[in-house]
Amino acid sequence: MLRAFQRTFFPAAWLGWQVESNWTDPLIFFVFSALKPIASVMILVFMFNAVSRSGTDPALYAYIYLGNALYIYVGAIMAGTSYSILDDRERYRALKYLYIAPISIPVYLLGRAMARFMTGTLAVGITIAAGIVFFKVPIHPMRANWPMFFAALALGVLCLAAMGIILGSITLTLRSEPWFLGESVASALYLFSGAIFPITLLPATLQPIGFLMPMTYWLELMRRALLGSGSASFPTLAAYSNASLFGILAALTLGFGLLAFILHRLFDRIARDKGMIDAQSNF
Amino acid sequence: MDRGWRLFLRTIVARAYPRVVGQQRQRTWIFFETFLPFVAVSAYVFVYRALNAPADYIGFVVMGGAMTAFWLNIIWSMSAQMYWEKDNGNLALYIMAPNSLMAILLGMAIGGMFATSLRAAVILILGTWVFQVPFVVSSPAQLFAVFLLTMTALYGMGMLFASLFLLFGRDVWQMNTMLQEPVYFLSGFYFPVKSFGFAVALAASIVPMTLGMDAMRQLTFSSGPSIGFLRVRVEIAVLAVLSIVFITAAKYWLDRMERLAIQEGTLTDRRR
C-alpha cells in the first residue's frame, strides 16, 4: 500500500511542480511568484496607510498582513487542487490517461496539492519576509514559536488538501463554469474565516459560519506562533488556549478527511456514469 | 456578399451577439460573476470598518469592486480571447474569413462591455444597498464622459493585448494572473491613487482604469476632490488621448499579426 502511495504521490508532486514552474526560466518564475502576493498585500498596506490617522490599532496591521500572507496557502492548495482536475481534463486532456493508469486518483490529487504547497510556500515566504523587512510587521524570527508554527502548518495543509480533494471531486462532475468552484469557496473562506479582519466584525448571523471553518483556527494558531504575545490583542479566539485550538483544528481536519474520502467515491462514480472524465467544456 | 463597411458592421454585431445573448442562456454568471466579487468587496469593506475609516472609503471599495468586473473582462475575455480561439482551433477560421480582425475585436469589446456593465451594475447596487454607501454626484455629465472614455481606452487596451497575447504560449495563464492583483494595486481599486505620490501615480496612469476611477471617485463622493490625483478635466483629456493611442496601436499590431499568420503559417498552431 505504501509503495502504491509512493508510486502515485511523488510523480504527481513532481508533475505538479513542473506544470507550475517550467513555463519560464527560474528568474521570471521567481518574479511571478513574488509579484501577485506582494501586490495583494500592498493593497491592504495602502488601505491601512490611507486611513491610519483615524486612530487605528497597530496590532491590527500585523493581523491583516499575516492573515493575507498565510491565506495564499488556501488559494494555492485548496482551490489549486480543483484547478488541477480542470488542467488535466480540459487543458492538457490527460485525465483519461490518468484514470486508466494503475494509480489512486485521491493520492494523485494529494501529490498535486503538494506541488501547490511548494509554490505557495515560496509566495508566503516572500510576502512575510517583505513584511518584516519593508513593511514593519512585528515578527521577530528569534522569538517566534517555530515548533507550534510547523505543527499548525502541517495540520492546516492536511486540512486544505482534504478540502481540495472534495472540491476536485465535485469539479469532476461540473460541466458549466467549473473553474469558479475553487475560487468561490476560497473567496467565501476569505470573508468568513477572518483572514483580514476579526470575524466579530461580521453581522451576528454570519459569525457562526466563521467558527465552523477550520481556517479560522488555523490562522489564529499561525498568528500566535509568529507574533507571540502580540497576537493576544485579537479578542475573537482569545478565550481558547493553544491546545484547544489544536484540538478543534485536528477534529475538523479529521472530519474533512473523512468527508473527502466519502465524497470522492460518490462524485467519482457520478463522473464516470456521466462520461465526464474525458469531457471537454471548452472553457 | 457584404463588403466594406457593411461587412465590418455586420462582423461587429455578429461577434457582439454571443457575448450579449450568451449570458441569457447561461445564467450561472449571476452567481459566480456578481456574488464572488461582492464577497471580495465585503472583505475589504470589513477591513476599512476594522480601521474605523470614513464612510466614503467603503464607497471606494464598492466602486473598485464593481470596476474589477471590467478589468477581469479585459484580461480574460479580451486579451486572452485570441489565444483561446487558437487553442480551440477557431483562429485559423477567423484569419481565413473575409472579415476584418479589427471588427471581430470591436464586436468582442462592445458585447463584453455591455455584458460586463450589467455585472458591474449588480455589484454596485448590491454593495450600495448592503453597506449604505453615501454617493454625492457633483456632475452627471462629466461622470458619463469619464465612464465612456475609460471604457473606450480600456477596451482599446484589451484589443491591443489580444493581438500581443498571440505571441504567448501556455504562459498566457501566468501573464493574466500577473495582470490581476498588481493592476488592482497600481490602479488604486480600493484606495485613492494619490497615496502613491505623483511619480508612481503618473506611471500607473498608463492603465486607463487608474485615472478613470480617480475621476469617478472625485465626481461621486463628497471627499472625492480632496483625494483626487489630477483635476477631472485633465483626467478626461488624458483618457481621450489614451483611447486614441490604444485603438491605433491595436490596429497596427493586429495587422502585423495577421501578416505573420499568413507568412509563417504557424501563428494559429495550437502547439505553440
Side-chain angles (χ1 to χ4, degrees):
Chain A
M1 191 172 162
L2 188 65
R3 285 188 67 184
F5 180 88
Q6 286 175 337
R7 195 173 57 213
T8 307
F9 181 80
F10 292 109
W14 178 84
L15 173 71
W17 173 255
Q18 294 297 320
V19 169
E20 296 300 318
S21 65
N22 76 359
W23 54 274
T24 185
D25 61 68
L27 181 68
I28 294 180
F29 175 66
F30 181 79
V31 172
F32 167 75
S33 302
L35 207 58
K36 188 181 156 87
I38 293 283
S40 163
V41 88
M42 289 285 276
I43 291 173
L44 290 164
V45 170
F46 271 77
M47 282 172 69
F48 183 88
N49 288 337
V51 293
S52 59
R53 287 178 199 154
S54 313
T56 46
D57 176 9
L60 193 62
Y61 177 66
Y63 181 101
I64 293 171
Y65 193 99
L66 266 185
N68 195 67
L70 294 166
Y71 202 81
I72 292 169
Y73 277 128
V74 181
I77 302 171
M78 189 192 68
T81 311
S82 166
Y83 284 134
S84 63
I85 284 282
L86 288 176
D87 268 351
D88 287 342
R89 188 178 73 185
E90 311 259 349
R91 207 166 149 209
Y92 301 119
R93 296 163 198 187
L95 190 63
K96 52 184 178 257
Y97 304 116
L98 292 169
Y99 257 80
I100 56 173
I103 59 168
S104 155
I105 294 297
V107 175
Y108 171 78
L109 289 176
L110 267 180
R112 294 295 293 268
M114 175 53 73
R116 298 269 183 172
F117 168 71
M118 289 187 286
T119 51
T121 298
L122 191 61
V124 172
I126 291 168
T127 310
I128 292 180
I132 296 170
V133 177
F134 301 113
F135 304 124
K136 298 176 186 168
V137 179
I139 297 173
H140 304 284
M142 301 305 288
R143 277 186 249 158
N145 186 344
W146 292 111
M148 181 175 160
F149 175 85
F150 286 113
L153 179 65
L155 208 50
V157 168
L158 260 181
C159 190
L160 286 171
M163 292 166 90
I165 290 175
I166 295 172
L167 292 184
S169 306
I170 298 171
T171 305
L172 265 178
T173 62
L174 296 181
R175 204 178 282 275
S176 67
E177 317 252 20
W179 65 95
F180 274 121
L181 183 69
E183 210 177 311
S184 309
V185 178
S187 297
L189 283 176
Y190 192 60
L191 179 65
F192 293 117
S193 65
I196 53 171
F197 59 88
I199 53 176
T200 43
L201 282 174
L202 284 170
T205 46
L206 296 178
Q207 287 179 24
I209 302 173
F211 286 107
L212 285 174
M213 299 290 165
M215 296 313 105
T216 307
Y217 306 98
W218 176 65
L219 287 170
E220 177 71 10
L221 279 168
M222 299 289 275
R223 283 193 190 104
R224 285 187 188 185
L226 287 175
L227 296 173
S229 56
S231 63
S233 52
F234 315 130
T236 315
L237 296 168
Y240 293 80
S241 67
N242 292 347
S244 311
L245 292 175
F246 267 114
I248 296 169
L249 183 58
L252 286 170
T253 303
L254 189 67
F256 275 105
L258 281 173
L259 205 59
F261 179 75
I262 296 165
L263 291 182
H264 175 73
R265 287 173 71 100
L266 174 70
F267 285 106
D268 180 72
R269 200 175 61 241
I270 294 172
R272 287 169 194 258
D273 288 349
K274 286 187 173 176
M276 297 294 291
I277 306 299
D278 59 349
Q280 287 289 303
S281 64
N282 270 341
F283 74 103
Chain B
M1 194 175 79
D2 291 324
R3 287 174 192 281
W5 278 102
R6 202 174 149 78
L7 175 64
F8 193 86
L9 291 175
R10 286 194 68 184
T11 306
I12 292 175
V13 174
R15 193 58 189 88
Y17 178 84
R19 298 234 154 164
V20 177
V21 173
Q23 64 176 5
Q24 308 305 320
R25 295 186 181 158
Q26 176 68 283
R27 296 210 172 122
T28 43
W29 70 266
I30 296 172
F31 174 77
F32 289 116
E33 294 186 33
T34 59
F35 174 74
L36 284 188
F38 181 71
V39 167
V41 162
S42 305
Y44 285 129
V45 166
F46 284 114
V47 170
Y48 270 138
R49 284 197 174 161
L51 296 171
N52 299 315
D56 277 0
Y57 281 77
I58 310 289
F60 298 167
V61 169
V62 171
M63 180 189 275
M67 297 305 278
T68 56
F70 289 106
W71 183 247
L72 288 176
N73 187 251
I74 290 295
I75 55 174
W76 291 104
S77 299
M78 284 293 297
S79 307
Q81 187 64 39
M82 291 298 204
Y83 174 82
W84 307 141
E85 304 292 6
K86 178 168 77 170
D87 209 37
N88 292 333
N90 288 337
L91 186 62
L93 302 177
Y94 278 9
I95 290 172
M96 275 190 285
N99 45 19
S100 147
L101 276 177
M102 192 70 182
I104 291 175
L105 281 181
L106 272 174
M108 261 164 38
I110 291 167
M113 209 184 302
F114 176 79
T116 310
S117 295
L118 288 180
R119 287 159 211 194
V122 173
I123 299 165
L124 195 64
I125 292 166
L126 203 61
T128 305
W129 175 64
V130 172
F131 299 115
Q132 300 290 304
V133 178
F135 285 112
V136 183
V137 180
S138 55
S139 167
Q142 277 191 329
L143 183 62
F144 181 70
V146 167
F147 181 76
L148 209 63
L149 281 169
T150 305
M151 290 301 114
T152 309
L154 198 61
Y155 279 85
M157 184 187 220
M159 288 161 69
L160 170 64
F161 280 0
S163 47
L164 294 178
F165 270 44
L166 278 174
L167 298 172
F168 295 121
R170 70 185 171 103
D171 46 345
V172 79
W173 289 79
Q174 279 80 8
M175 284 306 300
N176 269 356
T177 312
M178 267 199 273
L179 285 172
Q180 225 163 286
E181 272 80 4
V183 170
Y184 291 168
F185 166 59
L186 284 171
S187 289
F189 273 68
Y190 302 110
F191 56 86
V193 75
K194 196 182 179 181
S195 321
F196 286 135
F198 187 80
V200 178
L202 189 70
S205 301
I206 189 74
V207 180
M209 206 60 112
T210 310
L211 291 182
M213 285 213 305
D214 189 69
M216 281 191 269
R217 270 195 293 257
Q218 292 190 55
L219 293 166
T220 50
F221 295 102
S222 57
S223 66
S226 64
I227 48 90
F229 168 49
L230 299 171
R231 281 185 297 126
V232 172
R233 281 175 187 278
V234 176
E235 292 183 332
I236 288 176
V238 176
L239 284 170
V241 172
L242 285 176
S243 303
I244 295 166
V245 168
F246 281 129
I247 292 173
T248 310
K251 170 83 179 120
Y252 169 79
W253 275 101
L254 209 55
D255 288 348
R256 205 171 155 171
M257 290 298 158
E258 199 168 359
R259 273 200 310 276
L260 262 177
I262 294 163
Q263 282 166 4
E264 293 186 4
T266 52
L267 195 62
T268 54
D269 185 347
R270 67 180 297 271
R271 286 168 301 179
R272 281 189 71 177

